[in-house]
Amino acid sequence: MNNIKVSILVMCFMLLGVCHKVYAQKQPNIVFILADDAGYADFGFQGSKAFKTPQLDKLASQSIRFTQAYVSAAVCGPSRAGILTGKYQQRFGYEENNVPGYMSASGTTGDDMGLPLDQKLMSEYLKEQGYKTAIFGKWHMGNADKFHPTKRGFDTFYGFRGGARSYYEFDKNNTNNRKEDRMEHGFGKYEESKLYLTDALADATIDFIEENKSQPFFVYLSFNAVHTPMEARRDDLKQFPNLEGKRKTLAAMALGLDRACGKVLEKLDELGLRENTLIVFTNDNGGPTDTNASSNKPLGGTKANHLEGGIRVPFLMSLPEQVKKNTLYTNPISTLDLLPTFYQIAGGDEKNMTDLDGVNLLPFISGENKARPHETLFWKKEVRGAIRYKDLKLIRYPDRPAELYNLAEDEAEVNNIASANPTLVNELYKRFFEWEVSLERPHWMLKHLYEGKAIERLDRYRNTTN
């Protein structure tokens, strides 16, 4: 009789194990990798012959590559705020200005400027679905403790609160005066790594994956590579004897980024998790050609402006079980779509997510929904702004008439058709204004001096000469 009871108990435990395994399989792991300030053309899978990105090229062959992926802002912080909330960040006062800003309309100052606490983040949505959550790298959502990642839905944080820092440890030969640049492990525990930072972030990610391999996890691998300062490993520099100056350093930094991504992907393979993991790789804004020598070809413009080179980014998505691998998706999408897509694949119901601007991409990439995910997309930084309606794009400036382009025929934006189409210009102006008047006033701004520099930068790099 006792033997029968033992057998029944064993069978029950086995069934529980099977049920747990099935449940886990229904909740894919999510690994979201975000590069920083990379050029649109500076990856092998984007056509580069000079740069070496074999790991990401391999991922591209296993992924859907989106040819018209957009960020919601042309600079780092606001773009990341849009990603984390699934909303146009201007709706909650986070205009296209990084924090901390210069002037605050809400009375906040300095480090107290950040992603408003009343906004629900991607990490919080996924945590509610039973995910272990982690961010490794750059935060840039506010320096004050109240904005800290571990108070915004992330279980684990290894990185720095600011927007950019050295890739090497701070010491007497590499000094630092900004608290937000110091590496943290946990809440307020400072720990400088002696490794090259890009490698350290990959290693920390791998440790987290190893520790949480038996449960669903969400990783936000938030690289600062290839943002300035221009610092690369010496062995990586040697891989590019035919390049010089910043371009050589950038290529070496991109190789380091690629190697770090490869290490994370190899760990997923080693643990048998790859087939049940959603992987996304993209970039937070266009490449700043003038500061890091990035290339956005064939697009014009750079980071900080609304030409395609400032807002269109490389984008890869590897679905669980490698569904639809090595394919292209050519309709416009937005990084705002990541939150509802992640939530849906995690087992949530997107219908319960109200007031988002992003959409769940799964029915679109599966072919279930043949329409465009977005008929209209918007960008805005104070007076400057842009609207894409279907294939028409209007750009509004403070110092010249608006420009109109047909992106289906002119993705480099060299043929301004505004003067020949005044009715279309007026129609798009009205559509943009209807959206603009629904927005909250910016909570902080920058000195107008920087707006002048942004216009100069646009004119200098608007053509595809980068």
Side-chain angles (χ1 to χ4, degrees):
M1 188 68 179
N2 288 335
N3 289 339
I4 294 174
K5 289 182 177 179
V6 171
S7 297
I8 292 173
L9 284 171
V10 169
M11 290 179 64
C12 287
F13 282 122
M14 290 176 65
L15 286 171
L16 284 171
V18 170
C19 289
H20 173 75
K21 184 176 181 181
V22 170
Y23 178 73
Q25 288 175 342
K26 288 181 179 179
Q27 285 189 289
N29 305 306
I30 300 171
V31 175
F32 170 43
I33 305 174
L34 187 65
D36 193 349
D37 278 12
Y40 186 75
D42 288 337
F43 299 92
F45 66 86
Q46 290 288 99
S48 178
K49 302 300 182 184
F51 282 34
K52 300 176 182 179
T53 55
Q55 300 299 329
L56 289 169
D57 297 347
K58 180 180 178 182
L59 177 63
S61 72
Q62 301 164 342
S63 302
I64 304 168
R65 182 165 68 88
F66 294 75
T67 61
Q68 295 194 77
Y70 289 95
V71 289
S72 62
V75 292
C76 309
S79 172
R80 291 164 186 252
I83 289 170
L84 288 169
T85 61
K87 300 178 182 180
Y88 285 110
Q89 61 282 350
Q90 296 93 339
R91 289 179 53 204
F92 46 85
Y94 203 133
E95 190 99 350
E96 281 197 35
N97 295 304
N98 288 321
V99 295
Y102 160 67
M103 182 177 68
S104 170
S106 61
T108 55
T109 58
D111 286 349
D112 284 328
M113 298 177 183
L115 180 54
L117 300 178
D118 61 354
Q119 298 301 310
K120 188 173 181 179
L121 307 191
M122 179 184 288
S123 46
E124 295 170 300
Y125 279 104
L126 293 175
K127 196 172 177 64
E128 289 177 354
Q129 293 302 116
Y131 279 66
K132 292 291 288 186
T133 58
I135 173 174
F136 300 99
K138 170 176 172 172
W139 179 232
H140 212 194
M141 293 292 101
N143 297 336
D145 286 351
K146 63 184 178 181
F147 300 119
H148 197 274
T150 57
K151 292 189 175 183
R152 308 301 298 269
F154 288 101
D155 297 310
T156 298
F157 173 53
Y158 175 71
F160 59 100
R161 302 189 197 192
R165 57 151 284 160
S166 174
Y167 290 81
Y168 293 101
E169 67 175 326
F170 295 127
D171 55 28
K172 63 181 181 180
N173 298 315
N174 186 23
T175 59
N176 165 57
N177 296 318
R178 297 189 304 185
K179 184 178 178 181
E180 65 267 26
D181 289 353
R182 297 172 68 181
M183 294 297 292
E184 293 186 22
H185 189 266
F187 188 88
K189 297 179 181 178
Y190 297 102
E191 181 181 294
E192 285 298 315
S193 171
K194 294 184 179 180
L195 297 174
Y196 184 66
L197 181 53
T198 306
D199 296 325
L201 297 179
D203 289 348
T205 301
I206 288 169
D207 288 344
F208 175 83
I209 291 172
E210 185 80 56
E211 292 169 4
N212 294 280
K213 59 188 174 185
S214 61
Q215 59 188 312
F217 58 79
F218 165 58
V219 168
Y220 174 22
L221 181 44
S222 180
F223 285 112
N224 57 315
V226 291
H227 196 292
T228 53
M230 303 298 292
E231 297 173 347
R233 283 176 27 172
R234 290 183 180 180
D235 55 335
D236 289 337
L237 287 167
K238 292 178 181 178
Q239 299 299 313
F240 301 94
N242 297 323
L243 296 178
E244 298 178 348
K246 286 185 178 180
R247 191 73 180 149
K248 181 186 185 80
T249 305
L250 182 69
M253 294 171 73
L255 179 59
L257 170 69
D258 182 78
R259 179 177 55 249
C261 293
K263 290 172 67 176
V264 173
L265 300 178
E266 286 170 6
K267 175 56 66 172
L268 293 172
D269 286 332
E270 176 190 320
L271 297 175
L273 300 175
R274 183 71 173 274
E275 294 298 317
N276 193 42
T277 301
L278 171 66
I279 302 165
V280 170
F281 174 84
T282 188
N283 189 50
D284 63 355
N285 47 247
T289 305
D290 47 352
T291 61
N292 73 358
S294 52
S295 172
N296 296 314
K297 290 182 179 181
L299 311 176
T302 67
K303 173 183 179 176
N305 61 62
H306 297 135
L307 292 171
E308 292 291 283
I311 55 177
R312 194 191 293 195
V313 292
F315 193 107
L316 303 175
M317 179 182 288
S318 176
L319 292 166
E321 299 181 353
Q322 296 185 3
V323 178
K324 282 186 169 289
K325 62 181 180 180
N326 201 25
T327 59
L328 296 179
Y329 186 81
T330 58
N331 282 330
I333 67 161
S334 169
T335 49
L336 300 177
D337 302 329
L338 289 171
L339 172 52
T341 303
F342 290 172
Y343 186 68
Q344 185 71 25
I345 206 166
D349 186 349
E350 62 175 318
K351 295 177 182 177
N352 297 329
M353 306 181 79
T354 59
D355 202 33
L356 297 191
D357 296 304
V359 300
N360 169 25
L361 291 174
L362 298 177
F364 295 96
I365 58 182
S366 70
E368 177 185 344
N369 190 331
K370 304 292 185 183
R372 293 186 179 206
H374 298 277
E375 189 173 70
T376 310
L377 291 168
F378 300 98
W379 298 267
K380 180 181 182 297
K381 185 183 189 300
E382 300 179 25
V383 176
R384 290 189 289 128
I387 175 175
R388 174 170 178 163
Y389 175 66
K390 297 183 179 178
D391 288 328
L392 293 173
K393 181 179 171 189
L394 179 84
I395 307 178
R396 186 181 73 181
Y397 299 101
D399 66 335
R400 69 197 70 181
E403 297 172 352
L404 180 67
Y405 299 97
N406 183 340
L407 296 178
E409 302 172 356
D410 179 24
E411 68 176 4
E413 296 168 296
V414 295
N415 183 24
N416 178 13
I417 60 174
S419 60
N421 295 276
T423 302
L424 285 176
V425 170
N426 289 340
E427 179 185 340
L428 292 179
Y429 248 117
K430 288 180 180 179
R431 288 180 181 270
F432 184 83
F433 185 66
E434 287 174 2
W435 173 74
E436 187 175 35
V437 296
S438 71
L439 306 176
E440 190 170 331
R441 286 286 186 183
H443 286 187
W444 57 84
M445 301 170 71
L446 298 179
K447 293 181 179 180
H448 285 301
L449 167 69
Y450 297 110
E451 272 296 276
K453 290 183 177 180
I455 291 293
E456 292 174 5
R457 184 186 213 178
L458 180 146
D459 288 335
R460 193 161 60 247
Y461 291 99
R462 70 171 301 126
N463 298 320
T464 56
T465 55
N466 52 308

